[in-house]
Structure formats: structure tokens, C-alpha cells
Amino acid sequence: MIKGFIFDLDGVITDTAELHYTAWKKLSDDMDWHFDRDLNEKLRGISRMDSIKVIMDHNDVSLDDEAVVELATKKNDIYVESLDDMTPEDYLPGARELLTHLRSEGFRVALGSASKNANKVLKQLNATHFFDVIGDGNSVSKSKPAPDIFLYASEKLGLSPENCIVFEDAEKGIDAAKAGKFHSVGIGPEERVGHADIRFDTMKEATLFEVKSHFKDLF
């Protein structure tokens, strides 16, 4: 039986993707590196350190660990500053309604995000109260596609993976859910999350009714 839901943050609860893109773009421009929308797509769902390595590899750049950490920190400072402008109006359509519905029906709810700024984002959205557990980039060492963040979340919820549904918008996020033996809901295009158990184009379509209809044997 499904007793818990685990949500990614970026692209599921809210869309900070544009803020991330702007921050990476500014850093890359400052470093005279190439960075565009296509390369940005490869960063979806992965950690900050993994992201900067993707950008460096693309630009055939090699730096020592200290320099890489310094640049990743600079990018994060740009991004965090932009979060101050987020408000409770910045939920993706349908996300707040689904979280509210899950609360009213008594389900356990966790966040499973690679972001180390998840708590800040949730506070800006006034969303912290929706979550029993917050798993973020500080909770585990291995990021998606490793299942560790979802396993951390389910363990803290006191539930087995088979009792949980993961909501993800990234290919690596669905890979992580599958690796951990979780049920999965993909948010986004077929080519990105079509390997999820069920897929919706947007969160607005991913209502509890629709999810229950698909996993009807598990409710």
C-alpha cells in the first residue's frame, strides 16, 4: 500500500531552473566558458559539484579541487541571492494543491532534492509545513542517479520504498527512483521521463485522483 510521497524540488514543486541557468550563465561568462540552454539541460537533477564538472568537461577545462569548489561556491552565491525574490506565488501550478490534498488524506510526505538550498526555497514558498522529512544535498554524499536521497527520505518516513511514490522531472531522478525500487511519477516530456511508471506533462495534471487511478491496486 502507498503510504508516502517523495518529491523532488526543482521542476516539481517550483521552477528554479531559470534562476540556476542565469547563475551558471553568469559564472561561465565570467570564466569565458561556453554555456547555453542545451548544456543546461544536462545539469537537470544533478548536484552543484557534478554540474560544474559537466560544464568544465564541455569546455575542456581542468582545475584543481580548490578552484572548482571556489567557482561552485560563487555560482551558489549568485543563485541564493536570487532566491530572495521568490514568494508563495512561485509554486508550479498544481503543486500546492497536491501537497494540500496529501496532507488532508494523511499521507507521509518527504522532500528528496539534490539542492543544498532546499530549506531556503521551502521557506520562501511557505511550504515547510507540508513535509514530514526534508532530504536535500546535505543529507547524502551520492547524488542522483544513485537512489540514496530517496532511500534516506523513505527511511526517515519509516516506510519501505515499495510503500512510496517519487515525483521527479529529471531523467536521472527517475533512474534513482527505479534503482531504489520506488514507484515513480515523471513530470515532463516523454524523452526525459518516459521511463517513469506514469508520466504527466505538468504538475497540474498530476492530481491525487489521477495518481490513484494509475496505481489503483496500491491504494
Side-chain angles (χ1 to χ4, degrees), residues 161-218:
E162 59 264 26
N163 299 131
C164 300
I165 295 177
V166 167
F167 275 66
E168 259 288 352
D169 76 312
E171 180 179 358
K172 287 184 173 65
I174 297 299
D175 291 343
K178 286 182 166 295
K181 310 297 185 194
F182 293 87
H183 305 286
S184 57
V185 174
I187 306 298
E190 175 78 26
E191 60 269 21
R192 196 170 74 217
V193 292
H195 55 315
D197 294 325
I198 184 173
R199 182 192 68 81
F200 299 96
D201 288 328
T202 67
M203 277 295 286
K204 195 168 186 179
E205 299 164 30
T207 63
L208 184 55
F209 176 81
E210 289 294 337
V211 172
K212 279 185 170 183
S213 296
H214 178 79
F215 296 104
K216 54 182 176 293
D217 295 337
L218 297 174

Side-chain angles (χ1 to χ4, degrees), residues 22-24 34 47 67 75 81 92 96 101 109 123 127 141 153 155 177 184-185 193 207 214-215 218:
T22 301
W24 282 123
H34 173 262
S47 69
K75 179 267 172 181
E81 189 174 339
L92 282 171
R96 179 163 38 191
H101 201 172
V109 180
K123 284 175 185 172
S141 56
E155 182 182 347
S184 57
V185 174
V193 292
T207 63
H214 178 79
F215 296 104
L218 297 174

Side-chain angles (χ1 to χ4, degrees), residues 24-207:
W24 282 123
K25 179 65 174 165
K26 182 173 185 343
L27 179 72
S28 297
D29 288 348
D30 289 348
M31 297 299 295
D32 201 26
W33 293 345
H34 173 262
F35 186 76
D36 59 14
R37 298 278 178 183
D38 290 338
L39 186 56
N40 188 59
E41 273 298 303
K42 295 181 180 178
L43 311 184
R44 188 181 288 270
I46 66 174
S47 69
R48 189 187 317 150
M49 293 305 294
D50 287 342
S51 292
I52 197 167
K53 286 168 185 172
V54 168
I55 297 169
M56 287 169 56
D57 286 347
H58 180 79
N59 285 275
D60 199 22
V61 171
S62 181
L63 296 170
D64 62 46
D65 289 348
E66 188 177 338
V68 173
V69 170
E70 187 177 320
L71 288 173
T73 301
K74 182 180 177 183
K75 179 267 172 181
N76 189 56
D77 290 343
I78 298 168
Y79 169 68
V80 170
E81 189 174 339
S82 72
L83 291 179
D84 290 337
D85 295 327
M86 287 190 78
T87 75
E89 299 303 309
D90 289 318
Y91 283 90
L92 282 171
R96 179 163 38 191
E97 292 81 357
L98 176 58
L99 290 169
T100 301
H101 201 172
L102 292 175
R103 268 293 180 234
S104 70
E105 294 221 359
F107 288 102
R108 304 277 286 160
V109 180
L111 191 77
S113 168
S115 172
K116 291 188 175 181
N117 299 297
N119 275 295
K120 165 80 170 173
V121 174
L122 293 180
K123 284 175 185 172
Q124 293 292 124
L125 293 172
N126 192 24
T128 308
H129 64 286
F130 286 125
F131 296 92
D132 300 295
V133 171
I134 296 173
D136 62 14
N138 302 298
S139 304
V140 296
S141 56
K142 287 184 182 177
S143 61
K144 305 163 190 176
D148 298 33
I149 188 64
F150 297 141
L151 292 171
Y152 170 89
S154 63
E155 182 182 347
K156 292 293 182 183
L157 287 175
L159 299 173
S160 299
E162 59 264 26
N163 299 131
C164 300
I165 295 177
V166 167
F167 275 66
E168 259 288 352
D169 76 312
E171 180 179 358
K172 287 184 173 65
I174 297 299
D175 291 343
K178 286 182 166 295
K181 310 297 185 194
F182 293 87
H183 305 286
S184 57
V185 174
I187 306 298
E190 175 78 26
E191 60 269 21
R192 196 170 74 217
V193 292
H195 55 315
D197 294 325
I198 184 173
R199 182 192 68 81
F200 299 96
D201 288 328
T202 67
M203 277 295 286
K204 195 168 186 179
E205 299 164 30
T207 63

